[in-house]
Amino acid sequence: MRVVSFSVPTWFPPRTGEKARRAEVQLTDQESAVFLCLATGASNAELAVELQLSVSTVKFHVHNIRAKLGGISRLQACLLAALARESAGSQEPGRPGADPLRRVPAARRG
């Protein structure tokens, strides 16, 4: 299993009462696929059809994504996904800038 690292922008508002947020979030391949599709604002049922998953699997991944991003709302997750897609799409080879979705190897389970 590979893990995708996503950087939450520092300007993104934290939850009420939250002081600090992890700057980087580790998403699995499945979670990152669901995350990027959230940018369209599609429902769980629409995401399930697009990704060829069951609705319950999509719900599971959306719940995990929101939790990993600090318990943000679905709307906030959609906004972050749209920003990630825009940043990834505007990146050209050879241009400076951090890739918002950077693949990192997963830790081996023992």
Side-chain angles (χ1 to χ4, degrees):
M1 170 173 74
R2 284 196 253 172
V3 177
V4 175
S5 175
F6 173 74
S7 296
V8 178
T10 55
W11 54 262
F12 198 77
R15 281 180 33 191
T16 305
E18 184 181 52
K19 291 183 181 179
R21 174 182 288 141
R22 286 180 26 200
E24 245 178 52
V25 176
Q26 304 291 314
L27 301 178
T28 65
D29 281 344
Q30 285 268 340
E31 288 170 345
S32 65
V34 171
F35 176 68
L36 291 175
C37 286
L38 278 174
T40 64
S43 68
N44 288 340
E46 292 167 331
L47 292 174
V49 170
E50 170 133 1
L51 297 169
Q52 297 179 350
L53 299 170
S54 71
V55 174
S56 61
T57 300
V58 170
K59 286 180 184 180
F60 175 78
H61 289 311
V62 170
H63 174 79
N64 287 344
I65 291 164
R66 290 180 54 215
K68 287 180 179 184
L69 291 172
I72 63 174
S73 71
R74 184 184 178 104
L75 180 60
Q76 289 174 313
C78 291
L79 173 63
L80 285 176
L83 290 171
R85 284 180 96 174
E86 184 177 299
S87 295
S90 66
Q91 300 270 331
E92 294 177 20
R95 284 188 72 183
D99 185 2
L101 292 173
R102 180 180 87 242
R103 293 193 180 276
V104 295
R108 296 187 93 171
R109 295 182 182 177

